[in-house]
Amino acid sequence: MTVIEQTTGLPLALPPVRGEFELPSVIEPSADVERPLPLHERILQSTVFRRLVVVAVLAAVWEGYATWLDNPLMMPRLSDVVVALVSSLVSGGLFARILMTMKVLVIGYAVGIAAAAAITILASTTRFGSDVLSTLTSMFNPLPAVALLPLALLWFGLGMGSLVFVIVNSVLWAVALSTHTGFQSVSETLRMAGRCFGLKGLSLVAEILIPAALPSILAGLKIGWAFAWRTLIAAELVFGVSSGQGGLGWFIYENRNNLETANVFAGLLCVILIGLFVESVIFRTIERRTVRRWGMQKF
Amino acid sequence: MNMINQPQIKQAYTATDTKPVLSLKNVTLRYRTDASIVTAAYDVSFDVYRGDRFILLGASGCGKSSLLKAVGGFLAPVAGEIRLDGKIIDAPGPDRMMVFQEFDQLLPWKTILENVAYPMQKAKRWSAAEVRDRARVFTAKVGLEKFGDAYPHTLSGGMKQRVAIARAMAMEPKILLMDEPFAALDALTRRKMQDDLLELWSGTHSTILFVTHSIEEAVIVGSRILVLTPHPGQVRAEINSHQFAFSDMGSTEFGGLCGRIHHMLFTPCPRHPKGH
């Protein structure tokens, strides 16, 4: 055993023995134990404000660049695009096309989620189901849903059926995969607690697994939503929705053919705005009311 | 400072029921890991009577948690039988409520009151109004009446365990299974919780099966202690500890009993072939 030696020249030190004390009472702290942050810091804390600043800067850059370029065929100014957007919405039938697109989207999304729920429940209750899900997901998840469009057209013809088919394909695997992952990460304690209360099978899935896995499920739904939205617009660029009534993608394609560049931008802007709305209003609200309130997700 | 009604705790043991609530006969438990099959408990028998605070005590890996899980219905014995009120246990059920060591046993999507009420709603033994009242009463019993509408993630570890205990006791289970419920708490909170559990018990006389690896906790909380050998868990001794409470902690008898148990746990028990 090695002995650590005191550095030569320094005396061995011992702390002095000090007197004890015990206070009979403590001072009442003055009122400002907690005080609000100054106004500018609270404004900077607001996510909405910071994001609006980003959007405003982007808009200013666009407007400035387009004015400097002065070529409305290639790059119309933001103000022109806004005018085109408003007039298309009011008189150009853009609103009807958005409705058409949303209708297809909602149908495809709903069918995809229902299918994902069925597969995931099967996968989380049986080992074989789990193998089926993993194999199918690894096969179909990397496959771009639009690549199935030629097949879909062959099977379902021009129209809504083909679009719903490709959307279901884009939603199903992403949602099933993240839901299954979520179920697998639910703690054993929580499962045992649920079984202790007499839950089993489907009631255990509905009352314990789904709420406990909600952060992953919501993440999957968001990814599924984005996939569906992209797939649909891409598919619509190839053909309309049904019997000449095109959707938003078709609106963009038509206007490009007519060299109405401002309208093309207006269509794109619509795609972005709808995506932004669903993400930052619908999904945010669901998150705020559920996973954040329950402390499962922080930011 | 000691709030427990001591005479009651000490007397309760003499007022016995003749038939055991829970009875284990020659129970052997095995579980499967990826590489092998492990025997967790071997040929374990014991009886728990109504009002018992029965402790399973042993070192890590002596199968005490496995025994508790088996009583809970989560693990089927490979030999022997476990009977609750005469009926063989084959699945988890609300007549045996379990309190786990982990803090994540509360449902994060329900408030404290909802958490306490939830198993009662599922059991359908009480009307909706009764469930609400009982949830409030039991939440108050563990001193959390102010937090009824809070969500679990806003509570400290000790408070979460209190909720879990309230939730389990409100169900009036035939037996309350506690798997090292205080092991993850800091020493001060743990001490307070042991005290509170005994106080709660003196109001309900619930039958408790309690797993711990702390000798002191076993002697204070328990009325009877089953000492298990490690690897696999086998019965080494059954000891009475109903005569001790917090106030006895410094006494020679208390120290003597702790020493005796300490000796049993830390000296290897000679094993002999079956039949003799």
Side-chain angles (χ1 to χ4, degrees), chain A residues 60-95:
Chain A
V61 169
W62 179 353
E63 185 73 20
Y65 177 69
T67 311
W68 173 77
L69 196 68
D70 198 23
N71 183 352
L73 200 61
M74 287 299 189
M75 186 82 199
R77 288 187 301 163
L78 178 61
S79 45
D80 295 338
V81 171
V82 172
V83 170
L85 180 63
V86 171
S87 68
S88 304
L89 277 176
V90 173
S91 58
L94 181 58
F95 195 68

Coordinates of all heavy atoms in Angstrom, one line a residue, chain A residues 60-95:
Chain A
A60 N -39.7 39.5 -46.7 CA -38.9 40.8 -47.1 C -37.9 40.4 -48.1 O -37.7 41.1 -49.1 CB -38.3 41.4 -45.8
V61 N -37.1 39.3 -47.9 CA -36.1 38.9 -48.8 C -36.7 38.6 -50.2 O -36.2 39.1 -51.2 CB -35.3 37.7 -48.3 CG1 -34.4 37.1 -49.4 CG2 -34.5 38.1 -47.1
W62 N -37.8 37.9 -50.2 CA -38.5 37.5 -51.4 C -38.9 38.8 -52.2 O -38.6 39.0 -53.4 CB -39.7 36.7 -51.1 CG -40.6 36.2 -52.3 CD1 -40.4 36.6 -53.6 CD2 -41.7 35.3 -52.2 NE1 -41.4 36.0 -54.3 CE2 -42.2 35.2 -53.5 CE3 -42.3 34.6 -51.2 CZ2 -43.2 34.4 -53.9 CZ3 -43.4 33.8 -51.5 CH2 -43.8 33.7 -52.9
E63 N -39.6 39.7 -51.5 CA -40.1 40.9 -52.1 C -39.0 41.7 -52.7 O -39.0 42.1 -53.8 CB -40.9 41.7 -51.1 CG -41.6 42.9 -51.6 CD -42.9 42.6 -52.4 OE1 -43.4 41.5 -52.3 OE2 -43.3 43.5 -53.3
G64 N -37.9 41.8 -51.9 CA -36.8 42.6 -52.4 C -36.1 42.0 -53.6 O -35.9 42.7 -54.6
Y65 N -35.9 40.7 -53.6 CA -35.2 40.0 -54.7 C -36.1 40.1 -55.9 O -35.5 40.5 -57.0 CB -35.0 38.6 -54.3 CG -34.3 37.8 -55.4 CD1 -33.0 38.0 -55.8 CD2 -35.0 36.8 -56.1 CE1 -32.4 37.3 -56.8 CE2 -34.5 36.0 -57.1 CZ -33.2 36.3 -57.5 OH -32.6 35.6 -58.5
A66 N -37.4 39.9 -55.8 CA -38.3 39.9 -57.0 C -38.3 41.3 -57.6 O -38.4 41.5 -58.8 CB -39.7 39.4 -56.6
T67 N -38.4 42.3 -56.8 CA -38.4 43.7 -57.3 C -37.1 44.0 -58.0 O -37.1 44.6 -59.1 CB -38.6 44.7 -56.1 OG1 -39.6 44.2 -55.3 CG2 -38.8 46.1 -56.6
W68 N -36.0 43.5 -57.5 CA -34.7 43.8 -58.1 C -34.6 43.1 -59.4 O -34.1 43.6 -60.4 CB -33.6 43.4 -57.1 CG -32.2 43.4 -57.7 CD1 -31.5 44.6 -57.9 CD2 -31.5 42.3 -58.2 NE1 -30.3 44.2 -58.5 CE2 -30.2 42.9 -58.7 CE3 -31.7 40.9 -58.3 CZ2 -29.2 42.1 -59.2 CZ3 -30.7 40.2 -58.8 CH2 -29.4 40.7 -59.3
L69 N -35.1 41.8 -59.5 CA -35.0 41.0 -60.7 C -36.0 41.5 -61.7 O -35.6 41.5 -62.9 CB -35.4 39.5 -60.3 CG -35.0 38.4 -61.3 CD1 -33.5 38.3 -61.3 CD2 -35.7 37.1 -60.9
D70 N -37.1 41.9 -61.3 CA -38.1 42.5 -62.2 C -38.5 41.6 -63.4 O -38.5 42.0 -64.5 CB -37.6 43.9 -62.7 CG -38.8 44.7 -63.3 OD1 -40.0 44.4 -62.9 OD2 -38.6 45.6 -64.1
N71 N -38.8 40.3 -63.1 CA -39.2 39.4 -64.1 C -40.3 38.5 -63.6 O -40.1 37.5 -63.1 CB -38.0 38.5 -64.5 CG -38.3 37.5 -65.6 OD1 -39.4 37.4 -66.0 ND2 -37.3 36.8 -66.1
P72 N -41.6 39.1 -63.7 CA -42.7 38.4 -63.1 C -43.0 37.0 -63.7 O -43.7 36.2 -63.0 CB -43.9 39.3 -63.4 CG -43.4 40.3 -64.4 CD -41.9 40.3 -64.4
L73 N -42.4 36.7 -64.8 CA -42.7 35.3 -65.4 C -41.9 34.3 -64.6 O -42.3 33.2 -64.4 CB -42.2 35.3 -66.9 CG -42.8 34.2 -67.7 CD1 -44.3 34.3 -67.7 CD2 -42.2 34.2 -69.1
M74 N -40.7 34.7 -64.2 CA -39.8 33.7 -63.5 C -40.1 33.8 -62.0 O -40.1 32.8 -61.2 CB -38.3 34.0 -63.7 CG -37.9 33.6 -65.1 SD -38.1 31.8 -65.3 CE -37.2 31.6 -66.8
M75 N -40.2 35.0 -61.5 CA -40.2 35.2 -60.0 C -41.1 36.4 -59.7 O -40.7 37.5 -59.6 CB -38.8 35.5 -59.5 CG -38.6 35.6 -58.0 SD -38.5 34.0 -57.3 CE -38.9 34.4 -55.6
P76 N -42.4 36.2 -59.6 CA -43.3 37.3 -59.3 C -43.1 37.8 -57.8 O -42.6 37.0 -57.0 CB -44.7 36.6 -59.4 CG -44.5 35.2 -59.2 CD -43.1 34.9 -59.7
R77 N -43.4 39.0 -57.6 CA -43.3 39.6 -56.3 C -44.3 39.0 -55.3 O -45.4 38.6 -55.7 CB -43.4 41.1 -56.3 CG -42.2 41.8 -57.0 CD -42.3 43.3 -56.9 NE -43.5 43.7 -57.5 CZ -44.0 45.0 -57.2 NH1 -43.4 45.8 -56.4 NH2 -45.1 45.3 -57.8
L78 N -43.9 39.0 -54.0 CA -44.8 38.4 -53.0 C -46.2 39.1 -53.1 O -47.2 38.4 -53.0 CB -44.2 38.5 -51.6 CG -45.0 38.0 -50.5 CD1 -45.3 36.5 -50.6 CD2 -44.3 38.2 -49.1
S79 N -46.2 40.4 -53.2 CA -47.4 41.2 -53.2 C -48.3 40.7 -54.4 O -49.5 40.5 -54.2 CB -47.2 42.6 -53.3 OG -46.2 42.9 -54.2
D80 N -47.7 40.4 -55.6 CA -48.5 39.9 -56.7 C -49.1 38.6 -56.4 O -50.2 38.3 -56.8 CB -47.6 39.9 -58.0 CG -47.1 41.2 -58.4 OD1 -47.8 42.2 -58.0 OD2 -46.1 41.3 -59.1
V81 N -48.2 37.7 -55.8 CA -48.7 36.4 -55.4 C -49.9 36.5 -54.5 O -50.9 35.7 -54.7 CB -47.5 35.6 -54.8 CG1 -48.1 34.2 -54.3 CG2 -46.5 35.3 -55.8
V82 N -49.8 37.4 -53.5 CA -50.9 37.5 -52.5 C -52.2 37.9 -53.3 O -53.3 37.4 -53.1 CB -50.5 38.5 -51.4 CG1 -51.8 38.7 -50.5 CG2 -49.4 37.9 -50.6
V83 N -52.0 38.9 -54.2 CA -53.2 39.3 -55.0 C -53.7 38.2 -55.8 O -55.0 38.0 -55.8 CB -52.8 40.5 -55.9 CG1 -53.9 40.8 -56.9 CG2 -52.4 41.8 -55.1
A84 N -52.9 37.4 -56.4 CA -53.3 36.3 -57.2 C -54.0 35.2 -56.4 O -55.1 34.7 -56.7 CB -52.1 35.6 -57.9
L85 N -53.5 35.0 -55.2 CA -54.1 34.1 -54.2 C -55.5 34.5 -53.8 O -56.4 33.7 -53.9 CB -53.2 34.0 -53.0 CG -53.6 33.0 -51.9 CD1 -53.6 31.6 -52.4 CD2 -52.8 33.1 -50.7
V86 N -55.6 35.8 -53.5 CA -56.9 36.3 -53.0 C -57.9 36.2 -54.2 O -59.0 35.7 -54.0 CB -56.8 37.7 -52.5 CG1 -58.2 38.3 -52.2 CG2 -56.0 37.7 -51.2
S87 N -57.5 36.6 -55.4 CA -58.5 36.6 -56.5 C -58.8 35.2 -56.9 O -60.0 34.9 -57.2 CB -57.9 37.4 -57.7 OG -56.9 36.7 -58.3
S88 N -57.9 34.3 -56.8 CA -58.2 32.9 -57.1 C -59.2 32.3 -56.1 O -60.1 31.5 -56.5 CB -56.9 32.0 -57.1 OG -56.0 32.5 -58.0
L89 N -58.9 32.7 -54.9 CA -59.8 32.2 -53.8 C -61.2 32.7 -54.0 O -62.2 32.0 -53.8 CB -59.3 32.6 -52.4 CG -58.2 31.7 -51.8 CD1 -57.7 32.3 -50.5 CD2 -58.7 30.3 -51.6
V90 N -61.3 34.0 -54.4 CA -62.6 34.6 -54.5 C -63.3 34.2 -55.7 O -64.5 33.7 -55.7 CB -62.5 36.2 -54.5 CG1 -63.8 36.8 -54.7 CG2 -61.9 36.6 -53.1
S91 N -62.6 34.2 -56.9 CA -63.4 33.9 -58.1 C -62.8 32.8 -59.0 O -63.5 32.2 -59.8 CB -63.4 35.2 -59.0 OG -62.0 35.5 -59.2
G92 N -61.6 32.4 -58.7 CA -60.9 31.4 -59.6 C -61.1 30.0 -59.3 O -60.5 29.1 -59.9
G93 N -62.0 29.7 -58.4 CA -62.3 28.3 -58.1 C -61.2 27.6 -57.3 O -61.2 26.3 -57.1
L94 N -60.2 28.3 -56.7 CA -59.2 27.7 -55.9 C -59.7 27.0 -54.7 O -59.3 25.9 -54.3 CB -58.1 28.7 -55.5 CG -56.9 28.2 -54.7 CD1 -56.2 27.1 -55.5 CD2 -56.0 29.4 -54.4
F95 N -60.8 27.6 -54.1 CA -61.4 27.1 -52.9 C -61.9 25.7 -53.1 O -61.7 24.8 -52.3 CB -62.4 28.1 -52.4 CG -62.8 27.8 -51.0 CD1 -61.9 28.1 -50.0 CD2 -64.1 27.4 -50.7 CE1 -62.3 27.8 -48.6 CE2 -64.5 27.1 -49.4 CZ -63.6 27.3 -48.3

